[in-house]
Amino acid sequence: PENSYDVIVMTYFWEERLIPEIKKALKPNGLAFIETYAKCHKKYAPRFPDRFLVEKGSLKNLFADYKILVQEDVDDGSSCFSGLVVKKS
């Protein structure tokens, strides 16, 4: 439902088609926390399905119309992931 949630969390599950639904479901001033594996994760998990991986930095492009509070791309030596915290105006 539109403007229904104060907070939405999506971690280590990636379906880009859900982004418009997340944006619609957030209330004004609501927060979305998203963290998922990036394409560079393949060096640690070569069989990881490509469809569940994002390009580094691509999350911020999907939420360019929101206030970005935190954006990170991390390679910690055992996994590689991207994260974002955004606020809806």
Side-chain angles (χ1 to χ4, degrees):
E2 196 166 335
N3 297 318
S4 297
Y5 298 98
D6 293 312
V7 177
I8 296 175
V9 177
M10 185 166 77
T11 57
Y12 298 96
F13 174 82
W14 182 245
E15 282 287 346
E16 187 170 341
R17 65 182 176 79
L18 294 178
I19 299 303
E21 297 301 316
I22 288 170
K23 291 173 130 183
K24 187 168 41 171
L26 273 177
K27 289 180 179 178
N29 296 311
L31 300 173
F33 296 79
I34 299 172
E35 188 169 272
T36 193
Y37 290 111
K39 291 200 178 208
C40 56
H41 187 65
K42 291 286 267 193
K43 66 183 169 184
Y44 305 111
R47 294 183 180 186
F48 201 93
D50 288 336
R51 70 177 195 210
F52 298 124
L53 299 170
V54 298
E55 292 285 347
K56 280 185 170 182
S58 65
L59 294 177
K60 68 181 177 185
N61 296 332
L62 294 170
F63 285 91
D65 52 336
Y66 280 50
K67 182 174 183 181
I68 297 174
L69 303 176
V70 177
Q71 191 273 322
E72 63 181 0
D73 293 302
V74 176
D75 184 340
D76 66 8
S78 62
S79 66
C80 187
F81 56 92
S82 292
L84 189 71
V85 179
V86 296
K87 183 176 183 178
K88 184 176 184 177
S89 299

